[in-house]
Amino acid sequence: MIKVLFICLGNICRSPMAEAVFRHIVKEKGVEDQFVIDSAGLGDWHIGNPPHQGTRAKLDELNISYHGQKARQMQANDIEDFDYIIAMDQQNMDDLSQFSYQASGVTVKKLMDFVDQPKEQNVPDPYFTKNFDYTYELVKEGCEQLFAYISNKHNLDIN
Ligand code: 4NP
């Protein structure tokens, strides 16, 4: 299994959106049986909550499922359990350093690192910007490029 964990601060806006969009792509490509896809937050404020209304509205508009998704906080054992940990911004990357992942085999990168000439280096936080459309645009591009990277690296036979 290829295990991918998306990370943001609250796990209600950006990383649940990325989780849903990435799962949608993986299903379209016919390789969902080869993936474990999850998301988590660095903060604990929203544990157990569904995605933010703005994230749900955007995913509903696009018929992208977020069924069953609930916020959880990143745990130290996630470093061992996942192959790819994908952060939304540099603050997440700085916060992730507390888990000393460098000694493990996990790849820890920002979503925008997978995009050629990205419009942004960081996925803006719509909890503060209120602009879920722009965040989605970046998340979609990032997830498509992340999937291309992983499918190439793991030689996946895709649709
Ligand atoms: P997210 O957005 O990291 O994209 O889920 C946030 C949601 C909530 C908070 C911060 C960011 N908060 O401070 O409660």
Side-chain angles (χ1 to χ4, degrees), residues 8-16 45-46 92 125-128:
C8 65
L9 185 54
N11 194 213
I12 54 168
C13 296
R14 293 166 294 171
S15 62
W45 314 287
H46 301 285
N92 302 157
D125 192 343
Y127 190 74
F128 301 108

Side-chain angles (χ1 to χ4, degrees), residues 115-135:
V115 179
D116 273 341
Q117 301 181 314
K119 290 194 197 75
E120 309 278 351
Q121 299 300 322
N122 300 303
V123 179
D125 192 343
Y127 190 74
F128 301 108
T129 67
K130 313 291 182 210
N131 192 342
F132 288 84
D133 292 337
Y134 186 49
T135 288

Side-chain angles (χ1 to χ4, degrees), residues 26-128:
V26 161
K27 276 195 179 150
E28 270 180 358
K29 302 289 185 183
V31 286
E32 68 261 40
D33 57 334
Q34 295 179 58
F35 280 84
V36 172
I37 303 164
D38 195 5
S39 66
L42 290 154
D44 61 1
W45 314 287
H46 301 285
I47 292 172
N49 291 350
H52 188 285
Q53 163 63 30
T55 288
R56 284 186 279 134
K58 192 69 205 168
L59 295 173
D60 284 340
E61 177 190 320
L62 298 160
N63 271 310
I64 297 173
S65 174
Y66 49 87
H67 183 80
Q69 288 185 214
K70 285 209 172 358
R72 72 172 180 90
Q73 190 176 26
M74 161 113 194
Q75 305 295 317
N77 65 318
D78 288 322
I79 298 295
E80 311 305 326
D81 289 349
F82 286 88
D83 304 306
Y84 296 92
I85 295 186
I86 307 297
M88 295 300 125
D89 62 26
Q90 188 56 44
Q91 186 196 335
N92 302 157
M93 291 295 287
D94 295 347
D95 292 346
L96 281 165
S97 64
Q98 70 184 284
F99 294 102
S100 11
Y101 55 79
Q102 288 83 355
S104 77
V106 66
T107 296
V108 181
K109 278 187 177 293
K110 285 191 299 177
L111 186 61
M112 291 299 102
D113 292 343
F114 293 92
V115 179
D116 273 341
Q117 301 181 314
K119 290 194 197 75
E120 309 278 351
Q121 299 300 322
N122 300 303
V123 179
D125 192 343
Y127 190 74
F128 301 108

Side-chain angles (χ1 to χ4, degrees), residues 6 14-24 37-39 69:
F6 294 96
R14 293 166 294 171
S15 62
M17 184 187 281
E19 177 187 347
V21 168
F22 193 74
R23 185 175 290 115
H24 187 80
I37 303 164
D38 195 5
S39 66
Q69 288 185 214

